[in-house]
């Protein structure tokens, strides 16, 4: 062949460098600043090395185990080779190792040892916040485990505390138990009043009969569930709370049949099953008919876990996008040199920081409640903040993680990068533990029955009074104006029908929680300015307060009919 026919093609040698995470404690300015602000120096000195170690593990072994678990979905094995029904759920070795690490890292035990009093919850959730984004959502069984431990601590008899509580709060992997939470049936999700599972007395225990439509962490050793004792009235008032163990001492399932595992959008490592209870032995926790009231202690814990998971995913997505911006060149410049891209990342950081302070302030109040040092006002604020932070941070997280994935262009849509799993897993957070609308109605109940909003708004006002630095005066004034609007709106609620209040509940919830976040950011900004070492809290607070904090709705007159026509896309 002549040289004229030969062509030399120079192949591209370029390969895009992927994002890389540093130590997730050391790199988290929001977390470190918050802990320096809130914790006594001796406590911070005591826990700092542990948090640093967790920050390192979440980018090394915990991250690798989480990815291994994500890549190997649980498998349901209904029969053994000889046809005997066994209903085994096989999970990955990564999932098993994450269980061991959870015990060794004392992710539950810290809260119940209470070495640091009311602040023990802050320490515990700081570790969970770091652990969560790398853990393939092992925080789901941990949430239910923590909730079950709290229920048993409050309402369990001595026998149950010796049998289960010691396992739930153990730091020994050989002794550590996790718990399931079996509420959902085919008749409804968040509405448990239609529960059809029946509890039949059998000596000192009960036998349960019925179906559970969603049961997460079905490989746990125990579960808490609702059932209706034979002859109890219909509705939620007839429900009782029960404790059960999944297997007997021989490893045989306790009157349970696993019908199938759910095929889900995300949370692929987490076994979620449909179950039939056919004579499952169980023990009553609390009195008959007190199930919904008693299990609220569990929901309070799991909803806070949900919110911590939301801020954890926000932080992880932003950290990846921020690092990528220093490596990816577009139009001849790094992304970090493009003003528009920086503006996008800045907005995400403000959203995350507001969510972070909402969640960890609620954790502070939880710790005070559990150690009996909370004031009446703090208890009322905690009652209202718990559904508010759950509903709000879940929606924020979906928005932030989706935007962060867009910062990667096409790579954000490729499964091999492990970026899409962030969005798939985040999407569940607005559904777990009550949807946005359900929790908006729960917040409304707290306002109607417990006057919780009055305490929350008073708490904001008391915080604003302490903000006296000139750089924050305009933002303080905007927040005070938002409080005035919320008070005026509460006066108008009295004139609304119950249905009108329900329709407006979501807008009201968002307005309250955004205004509350404003007061927290202002308080933190003042502390930071007084220390004189970090201007970012000031910038964050000012930008947050510049937005419209209240978007209130008055669904009176023709508004409801117009919404009905729009929703159903037809004339009425």
């Amino acid at each position: 062949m002549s040289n004229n026919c030969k062509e030399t093609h120079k192949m591209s040698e370029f390969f895009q460098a992927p994002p890389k995470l540093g130590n997730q404690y050391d790199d988290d300015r929001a977390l470190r600043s918050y802990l320096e602000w809130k914790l006594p120096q001796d406590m911070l000195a005591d826990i700092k090395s542990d948090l640093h170690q967790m920050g390192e593990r979440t980018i090394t072994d915990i991250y690798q185990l989480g990815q291994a678990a994500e890549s190997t979905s649980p498998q349901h094995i209904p029969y053994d080779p000889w046809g005997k029904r066994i209903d085994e759920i096989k999970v990955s070795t990564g999932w098993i190792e994450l269980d061991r690490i959870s015990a060794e890292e004392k992710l539950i035990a810290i809260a119940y040892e209470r070495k640091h009093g009311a602040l023990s919850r802050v320490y515990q959730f700081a570790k969970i916040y770091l652990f969560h984004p790398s853990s393939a959502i092992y925080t789901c069984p941990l949430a239910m485990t923590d909730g079950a431990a709290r229920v048993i601590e409050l309402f369990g008899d001595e026998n149950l505390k010796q049998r289960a509580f010691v396992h739930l709060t153990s730091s020994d992997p050989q002794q550590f138990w996790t718990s399931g939470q079996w509420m959902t049936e085919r008749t409804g999700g968040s509405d448990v009043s239609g529960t059809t599972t029946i509890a039949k007395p059998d000596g000192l225990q009960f036998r349960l009969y019925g179906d559970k439509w969603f049961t997460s962490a079905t490989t746990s050793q125990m579960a808490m569930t609702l059932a209706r004792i034979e002859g109890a009235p219909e509705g939620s008032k007839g429900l009782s709370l029960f404790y059960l163990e999944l297997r007997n001492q021989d490893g045989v399932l306790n009157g349970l049949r696993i019908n199938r595992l759910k095929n889900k959008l995300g949370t692929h490592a987490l076994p979620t099953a449909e179950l039939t209870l056919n004579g499952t032995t169980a023990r009553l926790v609390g009195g008959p008919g007190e199930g919904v009231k008693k299990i609220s202690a569990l929901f309070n814990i799991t909803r806070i876990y949900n919110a911590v998971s939301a801020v954890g995913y926000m932080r992880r997505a932003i950290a990846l996008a921020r690092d990528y911006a220093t490596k990816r060149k577009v139009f001849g410049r790094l992304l970090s040199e493009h003003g528009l891209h920086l503006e996008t990342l800045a907005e995400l950081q403000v959203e995350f920081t507001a969510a972070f302070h909402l969640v960890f302030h609620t954790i502070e109040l939880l710790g005070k409640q559990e150690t009996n040092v909370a004031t009446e006002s703090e208890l009322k604020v905690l009652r209202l903040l718990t559904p508010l932070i759950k509903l709000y941070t879940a929606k924020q997280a979906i928005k932030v993680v989706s935007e962060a994935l867009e910062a990667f262009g096409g790579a954000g849509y490729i499964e091999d990068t492990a970026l899409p799993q962030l969005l798939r897993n985040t999407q569940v957070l607005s559904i777990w533990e009550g949807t946005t609308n359900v929790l908006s109605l729960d917040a409304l109940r707290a306002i109607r029955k417990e006057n919780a909003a009055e305490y929350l708004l008073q708490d904001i006002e008391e915080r604003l009074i302490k903000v006296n630095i000139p750089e924050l005066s305009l933002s303080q004034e905007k927040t005070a104006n938002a409080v005035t609007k919320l008070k005026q709106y509460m006066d108008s609620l009295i004139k609304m029908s119950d249905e009108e209040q329900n329709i407006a509940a979501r807008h009201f919830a968002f307005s309250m929680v955004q205004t509350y976040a404003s007061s927290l950011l202002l308080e933190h900004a003042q502390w930071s300015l007084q220390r004189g070492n970090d201007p970012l809290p000031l910038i964050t607070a000012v930008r947050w307060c510049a937005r419209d904090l209240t978007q209130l709705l008055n669904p009176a007159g023709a508004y409801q009919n117009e919404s009905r026509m729009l929703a159903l896309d037809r004339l009425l």
Side-chain angles (χ1 to χ4, degrees):
M1 183 181 292
S2 68
N3 289 336
N4 291 337
C5 294
K6 292 180 180 180
E7 294 183 4
T8 301
H9 296 281
K10 185 177 180 180
M11 302 297 290
S12 172
E13 296 295 329
F14 174 77
F15 296 96
Q16 177 61 52
K20 185 177 180 180
L21 294 169
N23 183 294
Q24 288 300 281
Y25 171 71
D26 294 347
D27 289 354
D28 194 331
R29 182 189 295 264
L31 175 61
R32 289 187 293 105
S33 178
Y34 167 80
L35 295 176
E36 289 172 12
W37 178 30
K38 294 290 186 176
L39 302 187
Q41 289 186 357
D42 59 343
M43 178 181 172
L44 184 57
D46 185 46
I47 70 174
K48 187 179 289 187
S49 62
D50 188 40
L51 294 175
H52 171 82
Q53 179 184 352
M54 177 59 78
E56 192 64 28
R57 295 194 75 179
T58 57
I59 62 169
T60 53
D61 63 321
I62 291 174
Y63 178 80
Q64 295 299 329
L65 290 168
Q67 289 305 300
E70 287 275 4
S71 66
T72 307
S73 296
Q75 180 184 2
H76 175 213
I77 304 172
Y79 300 99
D80 74 3
W82 304 98
K84 181 182 178 182
R85 186 94 192 199
I86 56 173
D87 280 325
E88 178 186 351
I89 297 178
K90 186 176 181 181
V91 296
S92 70
T93 55
W95 190 253
I96 295 169
E97 282 297 296
L98 289 167
D99 179 83
R100 177 185 61 79
I101 289 170
S102 298
E104 291 176 344
E105 290 286 348
K106 305 175 77 170
L107 294 183
I108 304 299
I110 289 170
Y112 295 91
E113 290 175 349
R114 299 195 175 104
K115 176 183 177 181
H116 301 286
L119 292 172
S120 298
R121 276 293 188 184
V122 172
Y123 174 26
Q124 177 211 17
F125 275 111
K127 291 191 73 172
I128 288 169
Y129 159 76
L130 294 169
F131 173 78
H132 167 75
S134 297
S135 74
I137 303 199
Y138 200 81
T139 42
C140 172
L142 293 182
M144 295 182 289
T145 300
D146 200 336
R150 183 59 178 157
V151 167
I152 292 172
E153 183 180 49
L154 287 172
F155 310 119
D157 58 27
E158 195 58 34
N159 184 275
L160 192 54
K161 289 177 182 178
Q162 291 299 320
R163 174 61 183 166
F165 183 79
V166 293
H167 287 293
L168 297 171
T169 58
S170 176
S171 58
D172 179 354
Q174 300 302 315
Q175 298 296 320
F176 180 59
W177 284 7
T178 55
S179 176
Q181 173 186 314
W182 301 354
M183 306 300 154
T184 306
E185 299 190 0
R186 286 193 293 267
T187 50
S190 299
D191 181 10
V192 298
S193 63
T195 295
T196 60
T197 300
I198 296 297
K200 296 183 178 182
D202 182 15
L204 297 177
Q205 61 185 7
F206 288 80
R207 291 192 177 272
L208 307 184
Y209 298 85
D211 296 297
K212 297 295 180 180
W213 190 237
F214 279 94
T215 63
S216 290
T218 321
T219 51
S220 295
Q221 290 85 352
M222 56 161 285
M224 308 296 292
T225 190
L226 291 175
R228 197 179 311 278
I229 296 175
E230 247 183 341
E234 295 299 313
S236 58
K237 292 183 179 179
L239 296 177
S240 299
L241 179 61
F242 291 90
Y243 159 91
L244 63 88
E245 295 179 16
L246 273 73
R247 295 178 183 272
N248 63 23
Q249 292 181 345
D250 297 325
V252 177
L253 282 172
N254 174 20
L256 296 171
R257 185 176 72 244
I258 298 172
N259 299 320
R260 62 172 174 169
L261 294 179
K262 297 288 192 181
N263 185 12
K264 300 165 292 180
L265 170 67
T267 66
H268 290 163
L270 173 69
T272 305
E274 296 172 21
L275 300 179
T276 294
L277 290 73
N278 187 22
T280 303
T281 59
R283 295 174 56 182
L284 182 66
V285 180
E290 296 180 353
V292 173
K293 180 180 179 181
K294 299 303 185 191
I295 207 166
S296 65
L298 188 155
F299 288 152
N300 290 339
I301 301 294
T302 55
R303 286 171 177 172
I304 290 174
Y305 267 82
N306 202 96
V308 171
S309 298
V311 293
Y313 272 146
M314 282 189 257
R315 160 74 182 130
R316 174 60 57 85
I318 293 169
L320 290 167
R322 182 180 291 130
D323 184 74
Y324 191 65
T326 67
K327 297 175 177 177
R328 177 65 174 171
K329 278 191 174 182
V330 178
F331 305 123
R333 290 188 292 167
L334 290 169
L335 284 173
S336 59
E337 297 170 347
H338 286 272
L340 180 57
H341 191 75
L342 291 175
E343 185 64 24
T344 302
L345 293 181
E347 290 177 2
L348 298 184
Q349 182 68 17
V350 171
E351 290 282 346
F352 154 71
T353 307
F356 177 92
H357 279 277
L358 282 167
V359 172
F360 272 85
H361 180 72
T362 307
I363 291 166
E364 286 180 58
L365 297 179
L366 175 67
K368 289 184 175 183
Q369 179 200 48
E370 292 181 340
T371 52
N372 300 313
V373 297
T375 64
E376 180 187 3
S377 175
E378 288 173 329
L379 292 175
K380 296 286 188 181
V381 172
L382 175 62
R383 166 66 182 93
L384 184 52
L385 272 184
T386 300
L388 289 181
I389 65 159
K390 189 279 174 187
L391 70 88
Y392 189 68
T393 59
K395 302 302 282 190
Q396 279 182 299
I398 295 168
K399 172 185 174 183
V400 168
V401 173
S402 178
E403 189 71 60
L405 259 62
E406 189 176 335
F408 291 92
Y413 202 67
I414 302 300
E415 288 288 352
D416 290 354
T417 66
L419 293 167
Q421 74 180 229
L422 285 173
L423 184 57
R424 286 190 280 101
N425 289 347
T426 298
Q427 185 65 56
V428 79
L429 298 177
S430 64
I431 299 171
W432 274 352
E433 310 307 326
T435 62
T436 308
N437 285 351
V438 165
L439 291 176
S440 296
L441 296 176
D442 183 50
L444 186 59
R445 280 192 297 274
I447 294 168
R448 286 171 173 167
K449 296 182 178 181
E450 303 173 46
N451 202 24
E454 181 176 321
Y455 288 91
L456 183 134
L457 296 178
Q458 182 181 351
D459 188 37
I460 296 173
E461 289 178 322
E462 291 174 355
R463 190 170 288 108
L464 291 179
I465 290 172
K466 300 174 185 176
V467 177
N468 52 27
I469 290 180
E471 295 93 325
L472 296 171
S473 60
L474 183 59
S475 299
Q476 180 193 38
E477 182 181 350
K478 282 208 65 177
T479 307
N481 290 339
V483 172
T484 300
K485 288 182 182 178
L486 289 169
K487 285 184 171 181
Q488 292 170 345
Y489 188 74
M490 284 177 61
D491 291 337
S492 70
L493 277 178
I494 301 173
K495 303 173 185 177
M496 293 185 191
S497 67
D498 286 350
E499 180 63 9
E500 287 172 339
Q501 290 182 24
N502 291 346
I503 292 170
R506 182 167 174 150
H507 285 75
F508 191 25
F510 274 61
S511 298
M512 283 189 292
V513 74
Q514 288 176 160
T515 305
Y516 199 89
S518 178
S519 72
L520 296 174
L521 291 173
L522 288 169
E523 185 181 31
H524 180 240
Q526 172 152 300
W527 170 83
S528 183
L529 284 173
Q530 289 171 339
R531 283 172 55 102
N533 64 347
D534 187 356
L536 291 184
L538 168 66
I539 298 169
T540 301
V542 169
R543 290 202 176 193
W544 179 267
C545 295
R547 62 180 62 194
D548 184 4
L549 298 173
T550 57
Q551 303 94 35
L552 299 164
L553 182 65
N554 185 359
Y559 188 92
Q560 290 184 50
N561 281 334
E562 292 169 354
S563 293
R564 190 174 290 108
M565 286 189 288
L566 289 169
L568 301 177
D569 194 25
R570 67 169 186 252
L571 299 179
L572 299 175

